Amino acid sequence: MTNKKFFGLMGNASNFLKSLTLLDSSNHGWTEKYLDFNTGQHWLKYMIDRDSGRYFNLMLLTPKPTTEEMIDIAFTSSDNDEVEGAVHRLFIEEEDEKIEFRPALIERLKKIDISQLDAAEKKNIKTIILNGHLTDRTNKREVIGKHFSEIQKDVQFFNDTAEIAEQILKQL
């Protein structure tokens, strides 16, 4: 039994998958649902690197963590693998479902005193920034139907977020 809600690295996820039973597979194996008969928990395996199909993560489905819960996991878990899995899921939900996570994530990052962190905590912060693609300056928000000034505000948000993330990475 694990208390984790995410597995980020393929090796860790693969080992855990061995204890689960496949229930459903879709998209030619890109998404699979599993059951842990010992706990009754349902897990979702999904592909992360869509270009090469090399990486996948596992996410606990019962209950499915909210965006806020995933952010909390990213900042409170001492398991870097779980941090990676949670942040990857945030990024996927931004891409696929247009669920924003960056404002809340960057606000939490701005409140952290980097000088007070140990090596493992610094590694988790780096994982949050890199796997959340926080240094990407591309506007991910919808542009259709928006006034030019609204689009510019969104572009500025992504530029500001990337700048803050880059500064934090330099401090690490």
Side-chain angles (χ1 to χ4, degrees):
M1 162 94 180
T2 180
N3 292 327
K4 290 174 68 164
K5 293 188 179 196
F6 292 92
F7 285 79
L9 300 174
M10 189 161 46
N12 294 340
S14 294
N15 290 334
F16 183 65
L17 271 175
K18 293 174 186 174
S19 68
L20 305 178
T21 301
L22 178 65
L23 298 177
D24 186 33
S25 180
S26 61
N27 299 325
H28 304 286
W30 284 80
T31 305
E32 296 177 342
K33 291 181 183 175
Y34 289 86
L35 174 64
D36 183 339
F37 277 110
N38 295 324
T39 65
Q41 294 175 323
H42 288 84
W43 290 83
L44 177 69
K45 180 189 87 162
Y46 50 93
M47 299 307 291
I48 295 296
D49 186 347
R50 295 175 179 155
D51 293 331
S52 67
R54 284 188 246 167
Y55 303 103
F56 62 84
N57 289 58
L58 282 177
M59 178 187 78
L60 179 65
L61 283 177
T62 52
K64 180 184 178 220
T66 65
T67 300
E68 293 77 22
E69 289 170 329
M70 287 186 271
I71 291 170
D72 282 340
I73 289 167
F75 283 96
T76 61
S77 178
S78 59
D79 184 337
N80 189 258
D81 180 55
E82 184 173 38
V83 171
E84 182 173 322
V87 178
H88 268 305
R89 188 65 201 178
L90 288 167
F91 180 70
I92 287 171
E93 288 187 358
E94 177 187 58
E95 282 191 326
D96 294 348
E97 301 171 32
K98 305 300 182 208
I99 298 174
E100 287 202 10
F101 71 95
R102 290 170 195 264
L105 204 63
I106 204 70
E107 284 307 311
R108 294 266 303 254
L109 284 168
K110 286 173 17 180
K111 293 177 184 176
I112 294 173
D113 182 357
I114 301 295
S115 67
Q116 299 298 312
L117 301 179
D118 64 26
E121 291 168 325
K122 287 180 180 180
K123 182 178 180 182
N124 283 350
I125 296 301
K126 185 175 182 180
T127 297
I128 289 168
I129 292 170
L130 296 178
N131 291 318
H133 300 260
L134 296 182
T135 59
D136 184 354
R137 296 175 183 271
T138 306
N139 179 10
K140 307 283 187 202
R141 293 178 178 159
E142 185 62 56
V143 295
I144 297 174
K146 284 189 174 179
H147 186 271
F148 180 73
S149 63
E150 292 175 289
I151 296 169
Q152 284 301 105
K153 186 177 176 183
D154 291 343
V155 167
Q156 189 61 50
F157 167 77
F158 282 90
N159 281 325
D160 291 347
T161 298
E163 184 65 34
I164 292 165
E166 289 165 358
Q167 289 174 8
I168 293 170
L169 284 175
K170 287 178 186 174
Q171 291 176 37
L172 293 173

